[in-house]
Structure formats: structure tokens, C-alpha cells
Amino acid sequence: MTYPAIYQPREGITLYLGDCLHILPTLTGIDAVVTDPPYPGLKGGLIAKTDGVAKRVRPSVTVGTPWGDDLSGLSMACSMAKAALAFCSYASIVATREAMGGDAVGFATWYKRNSQPSFRNRPYYTCEHIWMIEYAPGMNWKNVPTFYDIPKLQAGCMAVERILNDDGSTSHPTQKPVTLMRKLLQVVPEGMTVLDPYMGSGTTGIACIRTGRRFIGIEIDPTHYATACKRIDNELQRMTLPMEVNG
């Protein structure tokens, strides 16, 4: 199925294909930003993988690298909201904090119990971080998940959630677990509108549907946009299926 550049599968859910810098100025009514932006400062390099008699290598870049790993979209999105929760790596802690502005409420850590080991002479990193920033009252900050409250999930996402290409490769390299995003959304009161300007495969949207939040997602990559639209369609269909009655 080919999805339109503006897709509204139901009231309260709107998905956009395009550059968030162009789309954000057209939006209103944003309560919270919950997103996984590009990770500037993540050093490139080569990850070598031995396969048979030959070695295959690929550059270690972030999903945002083709677009410049720019955080100006995050800054713009945050300026429209009451609060923001954004992921970052060890290398982008400072840059992400500076881009978000506002008052820091918390800094959570997601421990990934099966993160990929280093193939170079570098430390083995097993976590990502989440800045939690306030711009105006209205959020349930008492529900901020602590280190021990965030499940020690697999890196990327659980195997049953992982979106794969036809050849078995990972469709989106930074796909997050729905359980993780649901934990973070405890900060946002039900019924509020959540914006993800870097929607990716649509996990934040899935979590919003399951927890009663409205959702606006923006994705610049057409392939990931189509994946997100399809996942959200499937989630809405799943929720409308009649429950089985045991007889």
C-alpha cells in the first residue's frame, strides 16, 4: 500500500512524510515531545563481521547521518511543547541537552541487556539515556521512570517486535521497544497530544495508541514512514478485533 504524505488513520493520529523543519511550523496543540533524535557526536568507523571466507564491513553511522545528524528539529519541536523526553547516547548528552533548553527534570538510563559488543578498541556500551525537560506545568513528573523501573529490555526491541527486511536484515537500526515507550509516556497525562518529529518505525505512535494519548509523527525517510503507517494501521486493526469468548 502507498500511503499519502499526510495520513490520518483515525481521529487523534496524524502522520507526516517530510522534513520536520518544514512541517513543525504548521502544527499547533502539542503537549509533549517524545522522540529518539539523531545522535550527533557518534564517531564513525568500521564494524567488521566475518562471514564465510570474506569479511563484510559497514560504517558505524546513525540513522540520521544522511540528513546531517542535525538537532535543530528537536529544538523547534521542544519550543512548541510543555515537556520533552528525548533519547541520547553518551556522545550526545551535552548537545541534546543544549538543543532542548528548558528545565531539566530528570535524566533516565535504559540498560540494554544484549547490546552489541564493540568490534574496535572501545568500551562496551550497554545503555542509552533519556533527557526529561519541562517548559510549562502539566506533566506527571512523579511518574518519571527510574533506572530500576525501566525494563532491562533487549537492545533495539524484543525479537517479536523487530521489523525486518525481506532479506532478514533490520529495517530500522534504532527501533525502540513498545514497553519502554509506554513507561516514558506515564509522564504525559492521558488524552494529551504527543509529537515525535523523528518517528522512525512508529513505536512512539504504537505506545500512544495503547495508552490513550493522541499522536503526531513526522518521518523524513519514505521507507521508514511506510513502515510506521503500516504498523499503526495494524495496531488499530488489532484493537478493533472482537475478543474471543471461551465457551
Short mmCIF file of all heavy atoms in Angstrom, two decimals, residues 86-148:
data_model
loop_
_atom_site.label_atom_id
_atom_site.label_comp_id
_atom_site.label_asym_id
_atom_site.label_seq_id
_atom_site.Cartn_x
_atom_site.Cartn_y
_atom_site.Cartn_z
N ALA A 86 13.71 12.99 25.35
CA ALA A 86 14.49 12.67 24.16
C ALA A 86 15.66 11.77 24.50
O ALA A 86 16.38 12.00 25.47
CB ALA A 86 14.99 13.95 23.49
N PHE A 87 15.86 10.75 23.68
CA PHE A 87 16.98 9.83 23.85
C PHE A 87 18.29 10.49 23.41
O PHE A 87 18.29 11.39 22.56
CB PHE A 87 16.75 8.58 23.00
CG PHE A 87 15.75 7.63 23.57
CD1 PHE A 87 14.39 7.83 23.36
CD2 PHE A 87 16.14 6.52 24.31
CE1 PHE A 87 13.45 6.95 23.88
CE2 PHE A 87 15.22 5.64 24.83
CZ PHE A 87 13.87 5.85 24.61
N CYS A 88 19.38 10.01 23.96
CA CYS A 88 20.70 10.44 23.52
C CYS A 88 21.71 9.35 23.87
O CYS A 88 21.44 8.49 24.71
CB CYS A 88 21.11 11.77 24.14
SG CYS A 88 21.27 11.72 25.95
N SER A 89 22.85 9.40 23.21
CA SER A 89 23.94 8.48 23.53
C SER A 89 24.94 9.19 24.44
O SER A 89 24.81 10.39 24.71
CB SER A 89 24.65 8.04 22.25
OG SER A 89 25.42 9.10 21.73
N TYR A 90 25.94 8.47 24.90
CA TYR A 90 26.98 9.09 25.73
C TYR A 90 27.64 10.25 25.01
O TYR A 90 28.06 11.23 25.63
CB TYR A 90 28.04 8.04 26.11
CG TYR A 90 28.97 7.69 24.97
CD1 TYR A 90 30.18 8.34 24.81
CD2 TYR A 90 28.61 6.73 24.02
CE1 TYR A 90 31.02 8.05 23.75
CE2 TYR A 90 29.45 6.43 22.98
CZ TYR A 90 30.65 7.09 22.84
OH TYR A 90 31.47 6.80 21.78
N ALA A 91 27.74 10.16 23.67
CA ALA A 91 28.44 11.18 22.90
C ALA A 91 27.59 12.41 22.64
O ALA A 91 28.13 13.46 22.26
CB ALA A 91 28.90 10.59 21.56
N SER A 92 26.26 12.31 22.84
CA SER A 92 25.39 13.44 22.52
C SER A 92 24.63 13.97 23.73
O SER A 92 23.66 14.70 23.56
CB SER A 92 24.39 13.04 21.42
OG SER A 92 23.58 11.97 21.82
N ILE A 93 25.07 13.63 24.92
CA ILE A 93 24.39 14.10 26.13
C ILE A 93 24.35 15.63 26.18
O ILE A 93 23.30 16.24 26.40
CB ILE A 93 25.07 13.54 27.40
CG1 ILE A 93 24.80 12.04 27.54
CG2 ILE A 93 24.58 14.28 28.65
CD1 ILE A 93 25.54 11.38 28.68
N VAL A 94 25.48 16.26 25.97
CA VAL A 94 25.56 17.72 26.06
C VAL A 94 24.82 18.38 24.90
O VAL A 94 24.04 19.32 25.10
CB VAL A 94 27.03 18.18 26.11
CG1 VAL A 94 27.11 19.71 26.06
CG2 VAL A 94 27.72 17.66 27.36
N ALA A 95 25.05 17.90 23.68
CA ALA A 95 24.42 18.51 22.51
C ALA A 95 22.90 18.41 22.58
O ALA A 95 22.17 19.36 22.24
CB ALA A 95 24.93 17.83 21.24
N THR A 96 22.39 17.28 23.03
CA THR A 96 20.95 17.10 23.14
C THR A 96 20.37 18.00 24.21
O THR A 96 19.32 18.64 24.01
CB THR A 96 20.62 15.63 23.44
OG1 THR A 96 21.18 14.79 22.42
CG2 THR A 96 19.12 15.40 23.49
N ARG A 97 21.04 18.11 25.34
CA ARG A 97 20.57 18.98 26.42
C ARG A 97 20.53 20.43 25.95
O ARG A 97 19.56 21.16 26.21
CB ARG A 97 21.48 18.84 27.64
CG ARG A 97 21.12 19.77 28.80
CD ARG A 97 19.79 19.37 29.40
NE ARG A 97 19.33 20.33 30.40
CZ ARG A 97 18.57 21.38 30.13
NH1 ARG A 97 18.16 21.61 28.87
NH2 ARG A 97 18.17 22.19 31.08
N GLU A 98 21.55 20.87 25.25
CA GLU A 98 21.59 22.25 24.76
C GLU A 98 20.50 22.50 23.73
O GLU A 98 19.90 23.57 23.69
CB GLU A 98 22.97 22.54 24.16
CG GLU A 98 24.08 22.60 25.21
CD GLU A 98 25.44 22.82 24.60
OE1 GLU A 98 25.58 22.66 23.36
OE2 GLU A 98 26.39 23.14 25.36
N ALA A 99 20.23 21.51 22.90
CA ALA A 99 19.20 21.67 21.88
C ALA A 99 17.81 21.76 22.48
O ALA A 99 16.92 22.44 21.93
CB ALA A 99 19.26 20.50 20.90
N MET A 100 17.59 21.12 23.62
CA MET A 100 16.26 21.05 24.21
C MET A 100 15.91 22.28 25.05
O MET A 100 14.73 22.64 25.15
CB MET A 100 16.12 19.79 25.07
CG MET A 100 16.25 18.51 24.27
SD MET A 100 16.19 17.02 25.30
CE MET A 100 14.44 16.93 25.69
N GLY A 101 16.90 22.94 25.66
CA GLY A 101 16.60 24.09 26.51
C GLY A 101 15.76 23.69 27.72
O GLY A 101 15.81 22.55 28.17
N GLY A 102 14.95 24.63 28.24
CA GLY A 102 14.04 24.34 29.32
C GLY A 102 14.73 23.97 30.63
O GLY A 102 15.91 24.21 30.83
N ASP A 103 13.95 23.39 31.54
CA ASP A 103 14.44 22.99 32.86
C ASP A 103 14.52 21.47 32.93
O ASP A 103 13.52 20.77 32.69
CB ASP A 103 13.51 23.49 33.97
CG ASP A 103 13.46 25.01 34.03
OD1 ASP A 103 14.51 25.64 33.82
OD2 ASP A 103 12.37 25.55 34.29
N ALA A 104 15.68 20.95 33.25
CA ALA A 104 15.87 19.50 33.35
C ALA A 104 15.14 18.97 34.58
O ALA A 104 15.39 19.40 35.70
CB ALA A 104 17.34 19.16 33.41
N VAL A 105 14.25 18.01 34.36
CA VAL A 105 13.51 17.37 35.45
C VAL A 105 14.17 16.05 35.83
O VAL A 105 14.21 15.67 36.99
CB VAL A 105 12.04 17.13 35.03
CG1 VAL A 105 11.31 16.27 36.05
CG2 VAL A 105 11.33 18.45 34.84
N GLY A 106 14.67 15.35 34.82
CA GLY A 106 15.29 14.06 35.09
C GLY A 106 16.17 13.61 33.95
O GLY A 106 16.15 14.16 32.85
N PHE A 107 16.96 12.59 34.25
CA PHE A 107 17.88 12.01 33.27
C PHE A 107 17.87 10.51 33.51
O PHE A 107 18.51 10.02 34.45
CB PHE A 107 19.28 12.59 33.44
CG PHE A 107 20.27 12.15 32.39
CD1 PHE A 107 20.12 12.57 31.08
CD2 PHE A 107 21.34 11.34 32.72
CE1 PHE A 107 21.05 12.19 30.11
CE2 PHE A 107 22.26 10.94 31.76
CZ PHE A 107 22.11 11.38 30.44
N ALA A 108 17.10 9.78 32.70
CA ALA A 108 16.92 8.35 32.91
C ALA A 108 17.91 7.55 32.07
O ALA A 108 18.46 8.04 31.09
CB ALA A 108 15.49 7.94 32.56
N THR A 109 18.11 6.31 32.47
CA THR A 109 19.01 5.41 31.75
C THR A 109 18.26 4.14 31.37
O THR A 109 17.56 3.55 32.20
CB THR A 109 20.22 5.04 32.62
OG1 THR A 109 20.97 6.22 32.91
CG2 THR A 109 21.13 4.06 31.90
N TRP A 110 18.41 3.76 30.12
CA TRP A 110 17.86 2.50 29.63
C TRP A 110 19.00 1.52 29.45
O TRP A 110 19.85 1.71 28.59
CB TRP A 110 17.11 2.71 28.31
CG TRP A 110 16.73 1.43 27.62
CD1 TRP A 110 16.29 0.29 28.21
CD2 TRP A 110 16.75 1.19 26.21
NE1 TRP A 110 16.04 -0.67 27.24
CE2 TRP A 110 16.31 -0.15 26.02
CE3 TRP A 110 17.08 1.96 25.10
CZ2 TRP A 110 16.21 -0.72 24.75
CZ3 TRP A 110 16.97 1.38 23.84
CH2 TRP A 110 16.55 0.07 23.67
N TYR A 111 19.01 0.50 30.27
CA TYR A 111 20.04 -0.54 30.17
C TYR A 111 19.60 -1.59 29.16
O TYR A 111 18.52 -2.17 29.28
CB TYR A 111 20.28 -1.20 31.53
CG TYR A 111 21.13 -2.44 31.46
CD1 TYR A 111 22.45 -2.36 31.04
CD2 TYR A 111 20.63 -3.68 31.79
CE1 TYR A 111 23.24 -3.50 30.96
CE2 TYR A 111 21.41 -4.82 31.72
CZ TYR A 111 22.71 -4.73 31.30
OH TYR A 111 23.48 -5.85 31.20
N LYS A 112 20.43 -1.83 28.15
CA LYS A 112 20.12 -2.79 27.09
C LYS A 112 20.90 -4.08 27.36
O LYS A 112 22.12 -4.13 27.19
CB LYS A 112 20.49 -2.22 25.73
CG LYS A 112 19.81 -0.89 25.43
CD LYS A 112 20.15 -0.36 24.07
CE LYS A 112 21.59 0.05 23.94
NZ LYS A 112 21.89 0.68 22.63
N ARG A 113 20.20 -5.10 27.75
CA ARG A 113 20.88 -6.29 28.25
C ARG A 113 21.57 -7.11 27.17
O ARG A 113 22.34 -8.01 27.48
CB ARG A 113 19.90 -7.18 29.01
CG ARG A 113 18.72 -7.71 28.20
CD ARG A 113 17.84 -8.58 29.11
NE ARG A 113 16.60 -8.98 28.47
CZ ARG A 113 16.49 -10.02 27.67
NH1 ARG A 113 17.54 -10.76 27.40
NH2 ARG A 113 15.32 -10.33 27.14
N ASN A 114 21.31 -6.83 25.90
CA ASN A 114 22.01 -7.58 24.85
C ASN A 114 22.60 -6.64 23.80
O ASN A 114 22.59 -6.94 22.61
CB ASN A 114 21.07 -8.58 24.18
CG ASN A 114 20.02 -7.90 23.30
OD1 ASN A 114 19.62 -6.77 23.59
ND2 ASN A 114 19.57 -8.56 22.26
N SER A 115 23.09 -5.48 24.24
CA SER A 115 23.66 -4.53 23.29
C SER A 115 24.86 -5.13 22.57
O SER A 115 25.56 -6.00 23.10
CB SER A 115 24.05 -3.23 23.99
OG SER A 115 24.95 -3.50 25.04
N GLN A 116 25.10 -4.63 21.37
CA GLN A 116 26.15 -5.19 20.52
C GLN A 116 27.54 -4.91 21.09
O GLN A 116 27.86 -3.78 21.43
CB GLN A 116 26.04 -4.60 19.12
CG GLN A 116 27.03 -5.17 18.13
CD GLN A 116 26.76 -4.65 16.72
OE1 GLN A 116 25.66 -4.28 16.40
NE2 GLN A 116 27.79 -4.65 15.89
N PRO A 117 28.39 -5.91 21.19
CA PRO A 117 29.75 -5.69 21.71
C PRO A 117 30.58 -4.87 20.74
O PRO A 117 30.29 -4.80 19.54
CB PRO A 117 30.31 -7.11 21.86
CG PRO A 117 29.53 -7.92 20.87
CD PRO A 117 28.16 -7.33 20.87
N SER A 118 31.61 -4.24 21.26
CA SER A 118 32.49 -3.42 20.43
C SER A 118 33.41 -4.30 19.60
O SER A 118 33.96 -5.29 20.09
CB SER A 118 33.33 -2.49 21.31
OG SER A 118 34.27 -1.79 20.53
N PHE A 119 33.56 -3.93 18.32
CA PHE A 119 34.48 -4.65 17.45
C PHE A 119 35.80 -3.89 17.28
O PHE A 119 36.67 -4.30 16.54
CB PHE A 119 33.83 -4.87 16.07
CG PHE A 119 32.74 -5.90 16.08
CD1 PHE A 119 31.43 -5.52 16.30
CD2 PHE A 119 33.02 -7.23 15.88
CE1 PHE A 119 30.41 -6.46 16.32
CE2 PHE A 119 32.01 -8.19 15.90
CZ PHE A 119 30.70 -7.80 16.11
N ARG A 120 35.92 -2.76 17.98
CA ARG A 120 37.13 -1.97 17.93
C ARG A 120 37.67 -1.83 19.34
O ARG A 120 37.08 -2.34 20.29
CB ARG A 120 36.84 -0.59 17.32
CG ARG A 120 36.26 -0.65 15.91
CD ARG A 120 35.64 0.68 15.51
NE ARG A 120 36.61 1.76 15.55
CZ ARG A 120 36.33 2.99 15.95
NH1 ARG A 120 35.13 3.29 16.39
NH2 ARG A 120 37.25 3.93 15.92
N ASN A 121 38.75 -1.12 19.50
CA ASN A 121 39.33 -0.92 20.83
C ASN A 121 38.59 0.20 21.56
O ASN A 121 39.12 1.28 21.80
CB ASN A 121 40.83 -0.59 20.70
CG ASN A 121 41.49 -0.49 22.06
OD1 ASN A 121 41.03 -1.08 23.03
ND2 ASN A 121 42.59 0.25 22.12
N ARG A 122 37.32 -0.10 21.87
CA ARG A 122 36.46 0.86 22.53
C ARG A 122 35.68 0.16 23.63
O ARG A 122 35.48 -1.05 23.60
CB ARG A 122 35.48 1.49 21.53
CG ARG A 122 36.15 2.33 20.45
CD ARG A 122 36.74 3.60 21.03
NE ARG A 122 37.27 4.46 19.99
CZ ARG A 122 38.51 4.39 19.53
NH1 ARG A 122 39.35 3.48 20.01
NH2 ARG A 122 38.94 5.21 18.59
N PRO A 123 35.17 0.91 24.62
CA PRO A 123 34.37 0.29 25.69
C PRO A 123 33.10 -0.34 25.13
O PRO A 123 32.62 0.02 24.06
CB PRO A 123 34.05 1.46 26.63
CG PRO A 123 35.08 2.49 26.32
CD PRO A 123 35.39 2.35 24.86
N TYR A 124 32.55 -1.23 25.91
CA TYR A 124 31.31 -1.91 25.57
C TYR A 124 30.16 -1.14 26.23
O TYR A 124 29.98 -1.18 27.44
CB TYR A 124 31.38 -3.35 26.09
CG TYR A 124 30.12 -4.17 25.93
CD1 TYR A 124 29.28 -4.01 24.83
CD2 TYR A 124 29.78 -5.13 26.89
CE1 TYR A 124 28.14 -4.78 24.69
CE2 TYR A 124 28.65 -5.92 26.75
CZ TYR A 124 27.83 -5.73 25.65
OH TYR A 124 26.70 -6.50 25.51
N TYR A 125 29.41 -0.40 25.43
CA TYR A 125 28.34 0.44 25.96
C TYR A 125 27.04 -0.34 26.02
O TYR A 125 26.63 -0.94 25.03
CB TYR A 125 28.17 1.70 25.11
CG TYR A 125 29.38 2.60 25.18
CD1 TYR A 125 30.28 2.65 24.12
CD2 TYR A 125 29.64 3.36 26.31
CE1 TYR A 125 31.41 3.47 24.19
CE2 TYR A 125 30.77 4.17 26.39
CZ TYR A 125 31.64 4.22 25.32
OH TYR A 125 32.75 5.01 25.39
N THR A 126 26.39 -0.31 27.17
CA THR A 126 25.19 -1.12 27.38
C THR A 126 23.96 -0.28 27.70
O THR A 126 22.97 -0.81 28.22
CB THR A 126 25.42 -2.11 28.53
OG1 THR A 126 25.74 -1.37 29.72
CG2 THR A 126 26.56 -3.07 28.21
N CYS A 127 24.00 1.01 27.42
CA CYS A 127 22.83 1.82 27.77
C CYS A 127 22.68 3.01 26.83
O CYS A 127 23.61 3.42 26.14
CB CYS A 127 22.91 2.30 29.21
SG CYS A 127 24.30 3.40 29.53
N GLU A 128 21.47 3.55 26.83
CA GLU A 128 21.16 4.85 26.23
C GLU A 128 20.50 5.68 27.32
O GLU A 128 20.08 5.16 28.36
CB GLU A 128 20.23 4.68 25.02
CG GLU A 128 20.87 3.98 23.85
CD GLU A 128 19.92 3.84 22.67
OE1 GLU A 128 19.20 4.81 22.37
OE2 GLU A 128 19.89 2.75 22.07
N HIS A 129 20.39 6.98 27.09
CA HIS A 129 19.90 7.90 28.12
C HIS A 129 18.71 8.69 27.59
O HIS A 129 18.53 8.82 26.36
CB HIS A 129 21.01 8.84 28.56
CG HIS A 129 22.29 8.12 28.90
ND1 HIS A 129 22.45 7.41 30.06
CD2 HIS A 129 23.46 7.99 28.21
CE1 HIS A 129 23.65 6.88 30.09
NE2 HIS A 129 24.29 7.21 28.98
N ILE A 130 17.92 9.21 28.50
CA ILE A 130 16.74 10.00 28.14
C ILE A 130 16.71 11.28 28.97
O ILE A 130 16.60 11.22 30.20
CB ILE A 130 15.43 9.21 28.37
CG1 ILE A 130 15.46 7.86 27.66
CG2 ILE A 130 14.23 10.04 27.91
CD1 ILE A 130 15.66 6.69 28.56
N TRP A 131 16.81 12.42 28.29
CA TRP A 131 16.62 13.71 28.96
C TRP A 131 15.13 13.95 29.15
O TRP A 131 14.33 13.72 28.24
CB TRP A 131 17.21 14.85 28.14
CG TRP A 131 18.67 15.08 28.32
CD1 TRP A 131 19.66 14.88 27.41
CD2 TRP A 131 19.31 15.58 29.50
NE1 TRP A 131 20.89 15.21 27.94
CE2 TRP A 131 20.70 15.65 29.22
CE3 TRP A 131 18.86 15.98 30.75
CZ2 TRP A 131 21.63 16.10 30.15
CZ3 TRP A 131 19.79 16.42 31.70
CH2 TRP A 131 21.15 16.48 31.39
N MET A 132 14.74 14.49 30.29
CA MET A 132 13.36 14.84 30.59
C MET A 132 13.31 16.32 30.97
O MET A 132 13.86 16.71 31.99
CB MET A 132 12.82 13.96 31.71
CG MET A 132 12.89 12.49 31.39
SD MET A 132 12.20 11.44 32.68
CE MET A 132 12.42 9.82 31.91
N ILE A 133 12.67 17.10 30.10
CA ILE A 133 12.74 18.56 30.21
C ILE A 133 11.33 19.16 30.34
O ILE A 133 10.40 18.74 29.65
CB ILE A 133 13.43 19.15 28.96
CG1 ILE A 133 14.77 18.48 28.71
CG2 ILE A 133 13.59 20.66 29.13
CD1 ILE A 133 15.80 18.67 29.80
N GLU A 134 11.20 20.16 31.21
CA GLU A 134 9.93 20.85 31.41
C GLU A 134 10.01 22.28 30.87
O GLU A 134 11.00 22.99 31.07
CB GLU A 134 9.58 20.89 32.89
CG GLU A 134 8.25 21.57 33.19
CD GLU A 134 7.91 21.55 34.68
OE1 GLU A 134 8.70 22.14 35.46
OE2 GLU A 134 6.88 20.97 35.04
N TYR A 135 8.92 22.70 30.20
CA TYR A 135 8.80 24.08 29.70
C TYR A 135 7.61 24.79 30.34
O TYR A 135 7.59 26.01 30.41
CB TYR A 135 8.65 24.08 28.18
CG TYR A 135 9.71 23.27 27.48
CD1 TYR A 135 9.43 21.99 27.01
CD2 TYR A 135 11.01 23.76 27.34
CE1 TYR A 135 10.41 21.22 26.39
CE2 TYR A 135 12.00 22.99 26.73
CZ TYR A 135 11.69 21.74 26.26
OH TYR A 135 12.67 20.96 25.66
N ALA A 136 6.60 24.02 30.74
CA ALA A 136 5.40 24.57 31.38
C ALA A 136 4.78 23.47 32.23
O ALA A 136 5.04 22.28 32.02
CB ALA A 136 4.41 25.06 30.32
N PRO A 137 3.94 23.84 33.21
CA PRO A 137 3.30 22.82 34.05
C PRO A 137 2.36 21.93 33.23
O PRO A 137 1.94 22.28 32.14
CB PRO A 137 2.52 23.65 35.08
CG PRO A 137 3.15 25.01 35.05
CD PRO A 137 3.63 25.20 33.64
N GLY A 138 2.01 20.79 33.82
CA GLY A 138 1.00 19.95 33.20
C GLY A 138 1.35 18.48 33.08
O GLY A 138 0.48 17.67 32.77
N MET A 139 2.60 18.12 33.34
CA MET A 139 3.02 16.73 33.21
C MET A 139 3.01 16.02 34.57
O MET A 139 3.07 16.66 35.62
CB MET A 139 4.42 16.63 32.62
CG MET A 139 4.57 17.16 31.21
SD MET A 139 3.60 16.29 29.98
CE MET A 139 2.47 17.61 29.45
N ASN A 140 2.95 14.71 34.55
CA ASN A 140 3.01 13.89 35.76
C ASN A 140 4.45 13.46 36.02
O ASN A 140 4.81 12.29 35.87
CB ASN A 140 2.11 12.66 35.61
CG ASN A 140 0.65 13.02 35.49
OD1 ASN A 140 0.18 13.99 36.10
ND2 ASN A 140 -0.09 12.25 34.71
N TRP A 141 5.28 14.40 36.43
CA TRP A 141 6.70 14.10 36.60
C TRP A 141 6.96 13.11 37.73
O TRP A 141 8.00 12.45 37.75
CB TRP A 141 7.48 15.38 36.84
CG TRP A 141 7.54 16.27 35.64
CD1 TRP A 141 6.99 17.52 35.52
CD2 TRP A 141 8.17 16.00 34.38
NE1 TRP A 141 7.23 18.03 34.27
CE2 TRP A 141 7.96 17.13 33.54
CE3 TRP A 141 8.87 14.92 33.86
CZ2 TRP A 141 8.43 17.21 32.24
CZ3 TRP A 141 9.35 14.99 32.55
CH2 TRP A 141 9.13 16.11 31.76
N LYS A 142 6.01 12.97 38.63
CA LYS A 142 6.18 11.98 39.70
C LYS A 142 6.23 10.56 39.13
O LYS A 142 6.66 9.63 39.81
CB LYS A 142 5.06 12.09 40.71
CG LYS A 142 3.67 11.76 40.14
CD LYS A 142 2.59 11.93 41.19
CE LYS A 142 1.21 11.61 40.59
NZ LYS A 142 0.14 11.79 41.60
N ASN A 143 5.77 10.42 37.89
CA ASN A 143 5.79 9.11 37.23
C ASN A 143 7.06 8.86 36.43
O ASN A 143 7.13 7.86 35.69
CB ASN A 143 4.58 8.96 36.31
CG ASN A 143 3.27 8.94 37.06
OD1 ASN A 143 3.22 8.58 38.23
ND2 ASN A 143 2.20 9.34 36.39
N VAL A 144 8.03 9.74 36.54
CA VAL A 144 9.28 9.54 35.81
C VAL A 144 9.86 8.18 36.17
O VAL A 144 10.08 7.88 37.35
CB VAL A 144 10.32 10.64 36.16
CG1 VAL A 144 11.70 10.26 35.64
CG2 VAL A 144 9.89 11.97 35.55
N PRO A 145 10.11 7.32 35.17
CA PRO A 145 10.68 6.00 35.48
C PRO A 145 12.13 6.11 35.93
O PRO A 145 12.91 6.86 35.36
CB PRO A 145 10.56 5.24 34.15
CG PRO A 145 10.53 6.31 33.11
CD PRO A 145 9.84 7.49 33.75
N THR A 146 12.47 5.38 36.97
CA THR A 146 13.84 5.34 37.44
C THR A 146 14.61 4.26 36.69
O THR A 146 14.06 3.53 35.89
CB THR A 146 13.90 5.02 38.94
OG1 THR A 146 13.39 3.69 39.15
CG2 THR A 146 13.05 6.00 39.74
N PHE A 147 15.89 4.17 36.96
CA PHE A 147 16.72 3.14 36.33
C PHE A 147 16.12 1.76 36.54
O PHE A 147 16.06 0.94 35.62
CB PHE A 147 18.13 3.18 36.90
CG PHE A 147 19.04 2.11 36.37
CD1 PHE A 147 19.75 2.30 35.20
CD2 PHE A 147 19.18 0.90 37.03
CE1 PHE A 147 20.58 1.30 34.70
CE2 PHE A 147 20.02 -0.09 36.55
CZ PHE A 147 20.71 0.12 35.38
N TYR A 148 15.64 1.50 37.75
CA TYR A 148 15.13 0.17 38.07
C TYR A 148 13.70 -0.02 37.55
O TYR A 148 13.21 -1.14 37.48
CB TYR A 148 15.17 -0.07 39.58
CG TYR A 148 16.58 -0.08 40.11
CD1 TYR A 148 17.09 1.02 40.79
CD2 TYR A 148 17.42 -1.16 39.89
CE1 TYR A 148 18.40 1.03 41.27
CE2 TYR A 148 18.73 -1.17 40.35
CZ TYR A 148 19.21 -0.08 41.05
OH TYR A 148 20.50 -0.07 41.50
#
